Amino acid sequence: MKKIFSLTGLVILVFLMVSMANGCFSMFMSPPSSESTPGPSATAEIKLTVVEQKAFELVNDYRIAKGLLPLQLDDRIIRAARKHSENMGQGVVAFGHNGFRHRIAAIGIKGAAAENVAYNYGYSDPAQIAVDGWIKSPGHEKNMSGDYNLTGMGIVKNANGKYYFTQIFLKN
């Protein structure tokens, strides 16, 4: 676990990464907003929140800049990522990757999988802070740059104003 403290206030940014036999898993999810925009994917009908859309675009922009194909959204993965973020934000589960294998099995897509998680608070642009942190973390960056084609982003803001991020990556 890595903590980054900001001089502009009590701001904590935490990232976890779990390595597994078939790849690194990390989670990214942010709290749902009242404003939603559609996610650009032929396989997703669920609308992403503004923060989720921004984080999704930042990750794909990063991939494209590295010469990689952009990830496509998948409703099943979005639902799993949001649920995990909600559970972390409400304290139902500890922050981290517990239950990752179960989430992947429940999604029902066979193939390589990874997950990035983060949380932060006190920032005007929580998506940018989370994605910048992932880029600086070798394990999280490996997930972002991995050989995956599908993703789901879930970001939840809890009652205390903390944003919990979960991003699941899959290759079908």
Side-chain angles (χ1 to χ4, degrees):
M1 183 171 4
K2 180 178 180 183
K3 293 183 182 181
I4 301 170
F5 296 92
S6 170
L7 297 177
T8 62
L10 295 176
V11 182
I12 300 173
L13 183 59
V14 180
F15 293 99
L16 289 179
M17 193 245 345
V18 172
S19 296
M20 302 182 99
N22 61 344
C24 290
F25 300 88
S26 57
M27 196 167 259
F28 169 86
M29 186 169 199
S30 70
S33 162
S34 59
E35 300 175 26
S36 294
T37 57
S41 170
T43 60
E45 295 180 11
I46 293 176
K47 292 182 180 182
L48 295 181
T49 66
V50 171
V51 179
E52 288 170 336
Q53 183 68 34
K54 170 106 187 248
F56 171 69
E57 289 173 0
L58 288 169
V59 170
N60 268 346
D61 289 348
Y62 181 76
R63 288 177 59 87
I64 291 166
K66 292 188 69 158
L68 302 168
L69 293 174
L71 299 166
Q72 296 297 308
L73 291 168
D74 184 277
D75 287 346
R76 298 164 292 182
I77 307 170
I78 294 169
R79 280 191 287 274
R82 281 186 180 165
K83 184 64 176 173
H84 185 62
S85 291
E86 288 170 6
N87 287 339
M88 289 188 298
Q90 294 171 359
V92 174
V93 299
F95 175 78
H97 301 286
N98 289 340
F100 176 77
R101 289 180 187 229
H102 176 73
R103 282 189 292 286
I104 297 307
I107 290 168
I109 299 173
K110 303 291 184 197
E115 173 179 83
N116 283 346
V117 296
Y119 82 84
N120 65 55
Y121 63 98
Y123 292 103
S124 62
D125 192 348
Q128 185 72 59
I129 295 300
V131 174
D132 285 350
W134 287 340
I135 291 168
K136 293 174 186 171
S137 165
H140 293 92
E141 192 282 333
K142 180 179 176 182
N143 291 342
M144 290 174 55
S145 300
D147 185 22
Y148 304 107
N149 62 325
L150 299 174
T151 196
M153 182 75 71
I155 302 169
V156 175
K157 184 178 182 180
N158 73 5
N160 297 322
K162 290 182 182 177
Y163 285 85
Y164 286 83
F165 296 77
T166 301
Q167 183 171 16
I168 298 172
F169 305 86
L170 287 164
K171 170 78 174 188
N172 65 349

